[in-house]
Amino acid sequence: CYRKWRREGRDPKGKGVIIPEYVSPKNLNVLSSSYILNQNFAPKAASAGIIELAVQGYLRLSEIKKKKLIGSSTDYELEVVKDTTGLPKEQQLILDALFDGEVTMGSKTTVSSQKNKLYTTIQQVSNHLAPSLTAAGYFRADPQKARKRFVGAAIAMLVVGFIVFFLIPVGIGLVLSAIIAFVFSALMPARTPQGVETRDYLLGLKEYIKM
């Protein structure tokens, strides 16, 4: 696993120093930036993606206060206020989930009514971003495929290890090997020099946002 990681899963060296950055990278939205930074798509990136669409003028966000017997609750209404046909596919997938595929001018929905549907779309966004960002030169190979090769081997060893667990040395060896393969599966996606440069830029932006 270690030799395989050194050959195929290790990122090229970056500059070694993270410089604060003050604007988002060109030609990347929040969703694709999150994938390059984390080598995966985090659920919170979808929430940030909604805010980005509002900042870009595609959505209008309105706060809705609802009174209850005790206190009140806050919800948010989303309204499409700009033609979205030219948006990248990952942003279209988020909008399709929010508006049940009916993304037209004037369409409205609330965050509370669609939040569960949005989470089910996260895998679809990942399935799109992994090959598209690889083709764009940010990853050496599709990150999802790189992980799955190790996960498949790990599952096979784990199953066989439990089946033959009565053969203690062999069973324990297979189970431990499976654990090691699972750990290395998370490390296998490798960025290209372009991907490392973008990651460092995003880390610099992250430092600025923290400050």
Side-chain angles (χ1 to χ4, degrees):
C1 283
Y2 178 71
R3 287 197 300 268
K4 187 87 170 170
W5 171 77
R6 282 182 62 88
R7 288 196 307 268
E8 301 176 18
R10 187 164 56 168
D11 281 350
K13 286 186 178 180
K15 294 179 181 179
V17 178
I18 302 301
I19 302 170
E21 303 290 349
Y22 308 102
V23 295
S24 58
K26 295 179 180 178
N27 304 321
L28 289 175
N29 53 46
V30 167
L31 306 179
S32 53
S33 295
S34 173
Y35 201 98
I36 293 170
L37 185 60
N38 302 301
Q39 296 181 318
N40 214 331
F41 187 69
K44 62 183 177 182
S47 301
I50 294 172
I51 302 298
E52 182 178 42
L53 287 165
V55 170
Q56 293 172 342
Y58 292 97
L59 295 178
R60 178 182 292 123
L61 272 66
S62 304
E63 186 179 75
I64 303 171
K65 289 283 188 181
K66 296 180 179 179
K67 291 185 178 180
K68 294 184 175 181
L69 290 175
I70 302 176
S72 62
S73 65
T74 303
D75 199 358
Y76 295 91
E77 182 184 73
L78 307 176
E79 180 183 1
V80 179
V81 293
K82 184 178 176 181
D83 183 23
T84 63
T85 52
L87 286 173
K89 185 176 179 180
E90 59 270 19
Q91 290 181 309
Q92 291 280 8
L93 287 169
I94 295 295
L95 287 171
D96 285 343
L98 287 169
F99 292 94
D100 297 323
E102 299 294 329
V103 188
T104 56
M105 292 282 286
S107 296
K108 293 183 180 181
T109 188
T110 58
V111 171
S112 62
S113 65
Q114 301 297 83
K115 61 181 180 181
N116 293 329
K117 294 179 181 178
L118 187 60
Y119 279 107
T120 62
T121 308
I122 288 170
Q123 189 58 50
Q124 294 180 41
V125 177
S126 293
N127 291 342
H128 165 69
L129 285 175
S132 66
L133 290 173
T134 302
Y138 293 99
F139 295 100
R140 289 186 194 172
D142 186 316
Q144 289 190 335
K145 291 181 180 178
R147 277 189 288 264
K148 282 179 181 177
R149 285 198 295 269
F150 269 65
V151 170
I155 291 173
M157 287 189 289
L158 195 63
V159 170
V160 175
F162 279 118
I163 291 173
V164 299
F165 203 75
F166 61 93
L167 300 172
I168 293 179
V170 177
I172 291 177
L174 284 168
V175 171
L176 291 176
S177 296
I179 293 170
I180 292 169
F182 272 122
V183 170
F184 272 89
S185 69
L187 304 176
M188 279 309 295
R191 301 176 186 88
T192 60
Q194 178 187 350
V196 170
E197 183 180 348
T198 305
R199 177 207 62 192
D200 288 353
Y201 188 98
L202 290 166
L203 288 173
L205 181 62
K206 186 176 180 179
E207 284 299 315
Y208 169 62
I209 291 171
K210 279 184 177 181
M211 287 190 292

